[in-house]
Amino acid sequence: MCLETSFMNKAHELLASFKSRFGTGASVCRAPGRVNLIGEHTDYNDGYVLPAAIGFSCWVGIAPRVDRQLILFSENYGEVHEAGLDELGVRGSGHWADYPLGVAWALQEAGYRLRGANIDIAGDVPLGAGLSSSAAIEVSTGYALLSAANHTIDRTKLALLCQRAENEYVGARVGIMDQFVSCHWRAGHALLIDCRSLEYRPLRIPAKVSLVVCNTMIKHKLQAGEYNVRRAECEEAVRKLSGALPTIRRLRDVSLEQLVQNRSLLSETIYRRCRHVISENERVHEVADLFEQGKTEGLREVMAASHQSLRDDYEVSCQELDAMVEIAGRQRGVYGARMTGGGFGGCTINFVDVEHATEFQQRVSEEYESAIGLRPDIYICEASQGAELVETTAESLPRVSR
Ligand code: GLA
């Protein structure tokens, strides 16, 4: 089944369950998860990233109410949560509803007056797999809340407000990549994003390359805490280096040469963190150049260098991710493999020749299971579209501009 048909089917399923739960029609908004092709832990250093939206999404059915209550139902958790728009507070409570409520909070903080609404949420982005289920729920809810209140917003602004929700309401200091690509992307392309200027450029993924995502099925609890630690280490590096390099604002502004010259200002660990970020920014451009020329030669080395740098310098890989990358590297038709996302478990991204993708899926699955003892989920992805209104049986139509 093509993605478009499966999206329409999902929208109709959600409309049917919305009707049986709330008794009315609804608008359905969708926002996708993403896989990052290269540029890991560079976004919060004002650097570059190259993600693509994938076929897994979060779907939000919404219909306005006359009062100021939000009645949220999660199809995934089978649970209702209720909150008043005027009593959202400034901090979540560690519940799944923090994501949609955080977005409502951030939109109101930015001056958008929202309406109470009945909301039904269904996601198929694998949770905790590093494919950005959080951004998908944030963006689809944001889009839905705005449409129910008849507001217009530009997509970059929506992405920034969703990031604010996650940073301040949920409490994870993530960069802008996930929300940005969930808002902006189009089919068949990856998005080269400059995370400082927020300028972006769609790059066509070479036609013979399939994006294959391998889920290690490992979710390490370390992730949230260690993510914030890495971010703090990068900020400390900038403070220490700025004595010698007064114009720098983030690691984006430091070259490898400058880093080496000022090595004595940094501890060994922080020096390695910086080396990862600075070299990873260069690798993003290398992959972008290859994509622009429609080339696959050279991808393998760049992807391997990225994985190695994340493993040894940034220290966010784990045994299962390393095993998955190593197994992938031995298969036929592979143009490159590395871990993707925040790390400490989750997925790898593999560039695989379209002709070999199914064989790759089978073999990697068998070899990983016999090495690690877990059966991995392996997805052959299509780079999908960004956030959109899918279907409506309600009267209000969203007006979200590009
Ligand atoms: C998580 C964050 C992103 C980014 C990646 C690492 O997915 O949400 O902002 O920092 O980790 O590249």
Side-chain angles (χ1 to χ4, degrees):
M1 196 190 327
C2 76
L3 264 186
E4 223 167 282
T5 317
S6 109
F7 287 170
M8 285 322 280
N9 291 347
K10 289 260 173 66
H12 286 132
E13 265 169 43
L14 189 60
L15 284 171
S17 65
F18 192 98
K19 176 102 188 172
S20 66
R21 176 158 299 278
F22 295 112
T24 66
S27 297
V28 177
C29 297
R30 178 189 75 86
R34 61 98 189 94
V35 61
N36 191 18
L37 308 189
I38 195 147
E40 222 63 83
H41 291 277
T42 46
D43 59 354
Y44 52 84
N45 288 298
D46 276 2
Y48 297 89
V49 290
L50 188 66
I54 50 176
F56 296 118
S57 303
C58 183
W59 311 78
V60 174
I62 191 163
R65 295 169 55 92
V66 287
D67 59 16
R68 299 209 17 95
Q69 292 301 106
L70 294 178
I71 314 293
L72 303 159
F73 179 71
S74 161
E75 298 280 344
N76 299 68
Y77 292 98
E79 213 177 271
V80 182
H81 190 86
E82 183 169 347
L85 276 170
D86 301 317
E87 296 119 40
L88 291 177
V90 288
R91 191 81 206 196
S93 55
H95 193 261
W96 63 263
D98 289 354
Y99 293 91
L101 294 179
V103 171
W105 168 81
L107 290 170
Q108 294 198 127
E109 283 283 300
Y112 293 93
R113 177 149 178 97
L114 301 179
R115 296 175 69 179
N118 294 328
I119 295 176
D120 196 347
I121 304 173
D124 61 15
V125 186
L127 297 179
L131 300 177
S132 208
S133 53
S134 330
I137 187 174
E138 289 156 5
V139 172
S140 51
T141 312
Y143 198 5
L145 287 168
L146 289 164
S147 78
N150 237 3
H151 288 297
T152 306
I153 192 170
D154 92 34
R155 286 171 188 254
T156 297
K157 189 161 183 199
L158 178 57
L160 286 165
L161 290 173
C162 289
Q163 183 199 16
R164 182 171 181 207
E166 191 155 344
N167 287 172
E168 295 181 34
Y169 201 86
V170 177
R173 299 188 64 212
V174 295
I176 187 62
M177 165 167 70
D178 305 349
Q179 292 79 6
F180 196 92
V181 68
S182 187
C183 281
H184 271 286
W185 202 222
R186 282 166 239 155
H189 293 73
L191 205 61
L192 174 62
I193 308 167
D194 175 338
C195 297
R196 170 170 282 168
S197 67
L198 296 185
E199 280 164 351
Y200 64 99
R201 194 148 49 92
L203 296 180
R204 185 161 279 290
I205 296 164
K208 62 178 173 179
V209 173
S210 248
L211 303 183
V212 185
V213 174
C214 301
N215 189 343
T216 60
M217 314 307 277
I218 296 288
K219 295 177 198 173
H220 280 302
K221 293 219 168 64
L222 269 178
Q223 183 169 3
E226 286 293 316
Y227 184 95
N228 288 349
V229 169
R230 293 296 178 284
R231 190 165 173 162
E233 286 170 339
C234 293
E235 288 162 359
E236 184 185 335
V238 170
R239 274 194 303 278
K240 297 224 156 113
L241 289 170
S242 60
L245 305 165
T247 57
I248 63 170
R249 279 162 49 207
R250 300 260 181 206
L251 287 179
R252 142 80 171 264
D253 304 311
V254 182
S255 67
L256 271 179
E257 206 181 0
Q258 288 171 321
L259 177 70
V260 172
Q261 276 163 4
N262 293 288
R263 185 173 184 158
S264 60
L265 298 175
L266 306 172
S267 70
E268 177 57 25
T269 303
I270 299 228
Y271 172 75
R272 283 188 289 112
R273 305 292 190 250
C274 297
R275 185 165 62 185
H276 165 71
V277 172
I278 298 168
S279 61
E280 184 79 351
N281 271 329
E282 291 180 0
R283 288 186 284 270
V284 175
H285 291 293
E286 287 172 40
V287 172
D289 288 348
L290 291 172
F291 276 14
E292 263 172 341
Q293 298 163 42
K295 278 195 186 158
T296 50
E297 301 78 23
L299 274 179
R300 196 181 180 92
E301 292 71 23
V302 190
M303 294 291 274
S306 172
H307 186 80
Q308 203 179 5
S309 174
L310 286 157
R311 185 189 65 202
D312 301 339
D313 277 357
Y314 219 64
E315 294 181 282
V316 290
S317 187
C318 61
Q319 182 206 344
E320 295 83 0
L321 283 166
D322 296 344
M324 191 73 94
V325 166
E326 194 262 320
I327 291 166
R330 284 194 246 124
Q331 309 303 320
R332 278 199 297 178
V334 173
Y335 299 121
R338 63 172 203 91
M339 59 155 279
T340 183
F344 305 106
C347 295
T348 64
I349 171 70
N350 304 269
F351 297 143
V352 184
D353 193 282
V354 277
E355 308 257 302
H356 291 92
T358 312
E359 175 193 78
F360 173 92
Q361 191 177 31
Q362 275 161 8
R363 298 221 166 159
V364 172
S365 180
E366 282 161 18
E367 290 186 35
Y368 181 80
E369 189 173 4
S370 76
I372 301 290
L374 288 171
R375 192 160 204 43
D377 284 338
I378 300 190
Y379 327 104
I380 301 177
C381 298
E382 279 178 51
S384 92
Q385 306 234 122
E388 61 185 352
L389 172 85
V390 183
E391 182 66 310
T392 182
T393 52
E395 279 165 22
S396 63
L397 282 170
R399 292 174 293 143
V400 180
S401 61
R402 270 221 172 254

